[in-house]
Amino acid sequence: MKNIDSISHVTGKSVYLDDIPVQKGTLNGAIFASSVAHGKISHLDYSKAEKISGVERIFSYKDIPGKNQIGGIIEDETLFAENEVHYQGQPILLVIAKSEYIARKALSLIEVKFDEYEVITDPRVAQEKGQLLFPPRTFKLGNTDDAWSKCEYIFEGKVENGGQEHLYIETQGSYAYPIDNGSLRIHSSTQGATLVQKMIARILDLPMHRIEIDVARLGGAFGGKEDQATAFACMVSLAAFILQKPVKIALNRHDDMRMTGKRHPYSSDFRIGLSKDLKILAFKATMYQNGGAASDLSPAIMERTLFHSTNAYFIPNTEVTVYSCKTNLPPNTAFRGFGAPQGMFVIESAIAKAACQLNISPIIIQEKNFLKEKDEFQFGQIAENVNIGKCYEISKKTYNLDLLEKQVKEFNTKNIDFKKGVSLMPICFGISFTKTPMNQARALVHIYQDGSIGISTGAIEMGQAVNTKMVQVAASVFSINTERIKIESTNTTRVANTSPTAASSGADLNGNALRIACITLLGRLIDTAAKILNCNSSEIEIKDEHVFRNNQKTEIYWEKLIETAFLDRVCLTENGHYATPIIYFDKTKEKGHPFAYHVYGTAITSVTLDCIRGTYEVDDVKIVHDFGNSMNTIIDRGQVEGAVVQGIGWMTMEELSYDKAGKLMSNSLSTYKVPDIYSAPKNIEIIALETKGPELAILRSKAVGEPPLMYGIGAFFALQKAIKAFNPKYKIDFEAPLTPEKVLMRLYQC
Ligand code: LUZ
Ligand code: MOS
């Protein structure tokens, strides 16, 4: 089945926030943000700006009737700065005017002065000064201290990864207006409708039932709208509530890039110990997470780094500690992979370092240490249905890995100016929100009298085609045509207390809730059919829009059945609730069973490096991916392809740069380079591992959003190999992104 939005997307008819027809008299907002990264506001005067014709009002923290606080996990983030500012781009005031043009004009008349404080952008410096957002955490298995003496080889190193701009095509924005009874309706480009609702209620000091959030779809999010859509929705709501007028903000790209947080850069130290036969006996790492100026989702992201710090390997003795460091950057936030890519990059770097020192291929170490059935993860969960070995075996055979490695060697002996490199990147990604209570969802299903169906779930459509999957779930339970099914907007008055659509779990959680609702309705319809046919319900089945009795097709078709049920006063509406079973986690022990299941896969990446210029091409990414029993191969493959390219971008070309004063220098698309069609791999092959899939995945079709991003890490190591082939003096290091400039420096390192 094609994405149900594909036609309206390509014809430009799909409605995003900025396409919603606004009410007459809608006002626009512009944000006055800090121009310094750390300081005290010593003078602030906006009286001139207020006098401009068309300016309706300027809001500061003093106008907030409730709490000036939008911190989701830890309450450490104000909506508007009070006396101090902590990053460049931090909102101080909100100008509301008759047009965005006027609002922006007013910004230039606002007078502000700061007493500037010391700016910290380096997480290690922050940690040394005791600037932590919250206490560090450590995950342990076995005993590393005892293990080192048993190791034949021990290697150490340092790893750096950069951040990543989300660059969703649709920027952050929100539109709010008063409705009846002193309530507000807010359209928000958010992954987390309930979170937005809760924070607006908090800043306005209103009960949540007075705040209605509606989301049609997002033009991309990638984690950037899990938490950080909230501030903008709060701002328009504050203005709309106080002025009792409709208010809208849609950020321009420049403001979006400078005001919002990104993927967390990490700086890490590792130590790895191996036995003579190359089993990894011990792994110890300390990671410094660059959290930015407020906690945002950093505690949860730290947790996922810890959960994935051994990637797809079993290591009997591990000890990994993460510090979340407070720096003067915009609060860093969720980004596809949610801390896991950063953790995986460190263990892969440790393996690459060991292999380089031992003068062998890292693949030899990788394959010897793959996770096996019933191995224990460092967080206590016992690995079940482990598919990493299978993916690797298929990959090795089908893609002829040995031959490929040989061919690369041959190419490198024959060529001087061009070198090739090849790498293997395994993945193992846990599915479920690491915070157990978030793993719940609801769905509301109406069957209308004519047999058509309207469905509301908590899932947010952001281009990943979750709505298409919802249609498939309902159609499969009822055995009816997909055209009968419509997915409504995500709205907090229809589906309440939603978890954000995140953690790759949108389809699993909402799909299961929907399935439960549909199964209940189906039961009622079967009873109705049995009543019409005067038989036992167990004899009835609904198949291909018809009622079957003892496998015999009857005259009763779908519409007839629904009409009869309605006239018989059967309830044709149902609400389904789903909570993932089995999972739990005990934070006091840092042990539990946090994930419903894991997604596995391998990617073989080959690159060709131009050793004169430092430029390169990714020739192939050859993947074996564990989709479970994919319910939609077109959509799932699209997710893998997109994730691979996004991962390669993070590892090789997307470079965020800040100056010493904490200003984002790479603040536009001319200075921040994301992969385009020319830099995408020339060839991406995907083989689906054949399995029946886990019961806890929706229709046994595994979550697919985030895991394949980490295949992109392979590009880093393939490039590193190619550099080494050209310059044997290159002392391998682990500093991502490996941009062409950095590659060039390493090619001629002596
Ligand atoms: N968001 C979240 C996530 O709140 N918890 C998670 O575990 C998670 N994992 C991946 C992406 N977003
Ligand atoms: Mo996400 S990183 O699943 O919002």
Side-chain angles (χ1 to χ4, degrees):
M1 184 186 181
K2 265 198 284 195
N3 185 335
I4 53 171
D5 278 342
S6 51
I7 300 294
S8 65
H9 280 359
V10 297
T11 52
K13 285 178 185 150
S14 300
V15 172
Y16 298 87
L17 180 90
D18 207 26
D19 303 314
I20 298 169
V22 295
Q23 295 177 12
K24 203 171 149 198
T26 293
L27 301 167
N28 292 91
I31 299 160
F32 182 73
S34 177
S35 53
V36 306
H38 196 192
K40 186 173 165 236
I41 302 170
S42 55
H43 170 81
L44 181 63
D45 180 0
Y46 45 92
S47 53
K48 282 193 199 114
E50 270 178 325
K51 288 189 191 108
I52 293 191
S53 146
V55 170
E56 190 89 3
R57 181 155 168 186
I58 298 179
F59 292 89
S60 78
Y61 76 92
K62 290 179 187 151
D63 301 300
I64 294 174
K67 252 172 138 176
N68 180 25
Q69 182 50 248
I70 56 166
I73 300 176
I74 297 171
E75 296 196 8
D76 66 355
E77 187 178 358
T78 56
L79 179 62
F80 295 119
E82 297 187 0
N83 303 311
E84 289 186 350
V85 290
H86 296 271
Y87 63 92
Q88 286 213 18
Q90 182 178 353
I92 300 172
L93 300 169
L94 174 68
V95 179
I96 298 295
K98 291 209 158 52
S99 73
E100 194 184 327
Y101 178 79
I102 296 170
R104 293 200 160 272
K105 210 164 85 178
L107 291 183
S108 60
L109 296 176
I110 297 171
E111 290 169 14
V112 66
K113 286 202 188 91
F114 302 96
D115 292 338
E116 291 191 43
Y117 299 157
E118 184 196 13
V119 172
I120 299 174
T121 55
D122 181 331
R124 289 189 192 244
V125 173
Q127 193 266 348
E128 269 164 30
K129 298 195 176 211
Q131 295 283 320
L132 297 181
L133 287 163
F134 43 87
R137 281 171 73 182
T138 302
F139 278 19
K140 265 193 212 182
L141 181 69
N143 187 328
T144 47
D145 290 341
D146 294 350
W148 301 118
S149 62
K150 299 186 190 105
C151 296
E152 177 81 11
Y153 314 108
I154 295 175
F155 306 102
E156 293 181 348
K158 190 175 172 194
V159 182
E160 304 276 343
N161 76 263
Q164 187 173 23
E165 163 62 43
H166 300 87
L167 217 85
Y168 24 66
I169 292 177
E170 180 197 26
T171 54
Q172 302 274 5
S174 190
Y175 169 44
Y177 46 88
I179 50 176
D180 217 6
N181 297 324
S183 301
L184 282 179
R185 182 177 296 134
I186 297 103
H187 300 273
S188 167
S189 181
T190 179
Q191 290 171 251
T194 293
L195 190 72
V196 167
Q197 179 191 23
K198 194 167 145 183
M199 291 305 158
I200 294 170
R202 190 197 277 173
I203 66 145
L204 296 181
D205 195 22
L206 289 176
M208 282 169 77
H209 71 195
R210 301 239 321 248
I211 309 297
E212 173 184 340
I213 312 297
D214 191 273
V215 185
R217 63 165 66 71
L218 318 186
F222 307 113
K225 297 167 183 174
E226 182 174 337
D227 219 60
Q228 300 210 351
T230 304
F232 309 102
C234 285
M235 288 180 202
V236 291
S237 300
L238 173 70
F241 185 71
I242 290 179
L243 300 170
Q244 286 295 303
K245 285 181 182 170
V247 178
K248 180 172 150 179
I249 290 181
L251 293 192
N252 62 34
R253 181 65 63 188
H254 182 74
D255 276 351
D256 190 297
M257 288 180 85
R258 77 190 179 102
M259 286 179 185
T260 63
K262 321 207 176 294
R263 185 190 292 287
H264 293 73
Y266 279 54
S267 178
S268 309
D269 299 311
F270 69 77
R271 189 165 202 235
I272 188 169
L274 299 97
S275 68
K276 202 164 174 151
D277 63 352
L278 303 176
K279 285 271 183 198
I280 305 172
L281 296 183
F283 175 64
K284 191 168 175 171
T286 308
M287 309 187 183
Y288 302 89
Q289 178 195 60
N290 190 336
S295 297
D296 190 275
L297 289 162
S298 295
I301 292 160
M302 165 197 274
E303 198 166 64
R304 200 172 267 282
T305 301
L306 290 163
F307 282 123
H308 294 84
S309 57
T310 56
N311 191 11
Y313 309 106
F314 173 67
I315 306 176
N317 303 286
T318 72
E319 183 175 337
V320 178
T321 300
V322 185
Y323 290 92
S324 186
C325 309
K326 183 174 175 177
T327 59
N328 299 111
L329 300 180
N332 285 318
T333 193
F335 196 134
R336 204 173 190 174
F338 206 73
Q342 293 95 321
M344 290 186 193
F345 183 46
V346 176
I347 181 67
E348 293 301 330
S349 295
I351 290 171
K353 175 84 180 223
C356 180
Q357 300 286 321
L358 296 170
N359 202 17
I360 55 171
S361 163
I363 299 174
I364 297 172
I365 301 177
Q366 288 173 314
E367 70 168 344
K368 274 187 196 289
N369 291 281
F370 281 144
L371 195 70
K372 294 195 180 62
E373 200 66 16
K374 304 289 175 208
D375 278 341
E376 184 181 346
F377 286 103
Q378 67 274 27
F379 45 90
Q381 184 160 343
I382 302 302
E384 286 166 300
N385 304 311
V386 177
N387 286 332
I388 190 64
K390 280 187 215 159
C391 289
Y392 176 68
E393 285 312 318
I394 293 170
S395 171
K396 198 171 148 81
K397 242 189 256 147
T398 320
Y399 296 133
N400 212 337
L401 183 56
D402 295 338
L403 182 67
L404 194 68
E405 280 196 289
K406 221 176 97 199
Q407 284 168 342
V408 166
K409 259 199 197 121
E410 275 171 22
F411 179 94
N412 289 347
T413 5
K414 284 196 198 127
N415 291 274
I416 299 170
D417 301 356
F418 287 87
K419 297 290 180 189
K420 282 188 188 286
V422 60
S423 74
L424 174 79
M425 181 64 202
I427 60 157
C428 166
F429 192 88
I431 301 303
S432 291
F433 285 96
T434 57
K435 188 176 170 190
T436 301
M438 290 174 81
N439 295 286
Q440 56 170 311
R442 278 151 297 278
L444 178 68
V445 181
H446 298 314
I447 306 178
Y448 295 99
Q449 291 170 55
D450 64 354
S452 67
I453 293 177
I455 290 169
S456 299
T457 76
I460 304 261
E461 175 61 53
M462 56 187 108
Q464 85 282 43
V466 68
N467 283 354
T468 305
K469 290 189 173 179
M470 293 305 105
V471 170
Q472 287 184 272
V473 168
S476 78
V477 175
F478 292 126
S479 191
I480 56 171
N481 296 333
T482 54
E483 296 80 61
R484 291 197 189 274
I485 299 161
K486 179 181 172 233
I487 306 293
E488 307 291 351
S489 66
T490 310
N491 186 299
T492 52
T493 67
R494 274 179 268 116
V495 178
N497 307 322
T498 62
S499 283
T501 299
S504 305
S505 64
D508 273 0
L509 296 176
N510 294 284
N512 272 302
L514 173 59
R515 202 169 151 264
I516 288 165
C518 292
I519 287 171
T520 306
L521 286 166
L522 181 69
R524 288 184 204 141
L525 296 176
I526 285 175
D527 290 346
T528 301
K531 209 166 150 188
I532 303 170
L533 295 168
N534 201 12
C535 68
N536 207 309
S537 291
S538 62
E539 296 168 43
I540 301 289
E541 200 185 349
I542 297 175
K543 247 186 354 198
D544 304 330
E545 307 225 318
H546 274 82
V547 172
F548 283 66
R549 180 183 176 188
N550 294 324
N551 289 320
Q552 291 291 310
K553 195 170 182 174
T554 69
E555 296 288 285
I556 310 167
Y557 52 95
W558 178 257
E559 279 105 329
K560 183 77 198 154
L561 177 64
I562 299 304
E563 190 195 330
T564 313
F566 172 71
L567 294 174
D568 201 29
R569 295 183 291 176
V570 170
C571 174
L572 293 175
T573 288
E574 188 58 32
N575 176 57
H577 169 82
Y578 178 72
T580 313
I582 313 173
I583 53 172
Y584 71 94
F585 194 69
D586 181 348
K587 264 195 174 180
T588 62
K589 299 196 178 77
E590 302 289 30
K591 299 282 176 192
H593 186 116
F595 299 119
Y597 58 88
H598 282 80
V599 173
Y600 298 93
T602 53
I604 299 167
T605 305
S606 335
V607 300
T608 305
L609 181 57
D610 177 335
C611 301
I612 305 295
R613 296 172 182 82
T615 53
Y616 45 79
E617 283 184 332
V618 179
D619 302 316
D620 296 289
V621 182
K622 296 182 170 179
I623 294 166
V624 178
H625 187 81
D626 171 16
F627 292 96
N629 179 21
S630 174
M631 68 190 284
N632 194 317
T633 54
I634 308 174
I635 285 163
D636 286 353
R637 276 168 186 264
Q639 284 294 306
V640 174
E641 289 172 0
V644 165
V645 177
Q646 197 166 37
I648 292 175
W650 171 55
M651 278 279 110
T652 66
M653 57 200 295
E654 297 184 40
E655 191 172 36
L656 289 165
S657 120
Y658 298 89
D659 69 7
K660 285 225 154 51
K663 181 180 177 191
L664 179 66
M665 304 303 284
S666 50
N667 60 5
S668 72
L669 288 176
S670 60
T671 48
Y672 185 78
K673 183 81 182 94
V674 290
D676 56 17
I677 194 64
Y678 301 104
S679 46
K682 284 189 285 205
N683 174 36
I684 299 180
E685 280 178 57
I686 305 163
I687 296 172
L689 180 75
E690 273 181 48
T691 66
K692 71 181 204 304
E695 216 163 303
L696 293 183
I698 183 67
L699 304 180
R700 295 186 180 271
S701 179
K702 283 192 175 184
V704 71
E706 295 172 287
L709 180 127
M710 283 145 274
Y711 291 140
I713 296 171
F716 181 96
F717 293 102
L719 276 171
Q720 191 179 59
K721 286 252 201 73
I723 301 170
K724 190 79 184 171
F726 179 81
N727 179 10
K729 286 198 197 124
Y730 161 52
K731 281 212 258 345
I732 65 158
D733 65 331
F734 308 98
E735 224 182 271
L738 199 41
T739 58
E741 292 88 337
K742 282 202 208 147
V743 168
L744 195 63
M745 298 307 284
R746 281 154 182 75
L747 283 168
Y748 297 95
Q749 194 184 75
C750 33

